Amino acid sequence: MGKFVLTDAYVSIDGNDMSDHVASVTVNYSAEMQDDTAMGDGTHKRIGGLKDWSVDIEFHQDFASSNVDAILFPLVGSTFTIIVRPVKTGGVGSTNPNYTGTAILESYKPLGGSVGDLAKASVTIPGSGTLSRATS
């Protein structure tokens, strides 16, 4: 695929395709670094520890039934499946990987913005298990 402009990302939360309300999405994936430095070492040495992941999403808020607020509000503190991929309309493949995991909605900001702004809702969704990356 090479370089591309993110215009059609797919975001599914608890089985609900929420892509049409997503303003931005970021998948974060990291490993905790453990210091493995011992006496006599002249520089720090590190080894990878536990992995961690989360997803940051900013939604265009919608209070209609079966939309953003109705889906997210009851999920605070609950686990669910989240799926994110770069292109909604493309099939899953090496150039359109599918990131899937069980997550927990830690916090939900149901309303945000300034005068004249489009109403937004922001969430940070930490993982509660392994993040899988599928390419087929």
Side-chain angles (χ1 to χ4, degrees):
M1 178 189 317
K3 298 175 186 175
F4 73 104
V5 176
L6 188 63
T7 61
D8 190 28
Y10 176 72
V11 176
S12 171
I13 294 179
D14 198 31
N16 299 284
D17 180 354
M18 301 183 72
S19 307
D20 65 342
H21 284 74
V22 172
S24 68
V25 60
T26 303
V27 177
N28 308 293
Y29 189 55
S30 63
E32 201 173 68
M33 291 293 104
Q34 299 297 322
D35 194 321
D36 190 28
T37 310
M39 295 294 169
D41 290 337
T43 59
H44 280 280
K45 294 189 322 187
R46 294 174 180 84
I47 59 173
L50 295 174
K51 292 184 179 153
D52 197 11
W53 65 275
S54 65
V55 179
D56 299 320
I57 307 171
E58 186 174 61
F59 291 99
H60 297 299
Q61 184 55 288
D62 189 340
F63 293 104
S65 63
S66 301
N67 274 298
V68 177
D69 189 64
I71 293 167
L72 296 178
F73 190 82
L75 288 178
V76 173
S78 301
T79 58
F80 53 89
T81 299
I82 186 167
I83 303 168
V84 178
R85 69 176 169 265
V87 182
K88 177 180 179 174
T89 55
V92 175
S94 61
T95 60
N96 194 31
N98 203 62
Y99 297 94
T100 306
T102 299
I104 186 165
L105 186 52
E106 180 178 15
S107 65
Y108 168 52
K109 299 173 186 167
L111 188 59
S114 299
V115 172
D117 287 350
L118 189 62
K120 304 276 183 161
S122 299
V123 292
T124 296
I125 304 172
S128 185
T130 302
L131 178 66
S132 299
R133 180 181 181 271
T135 56
S136 61

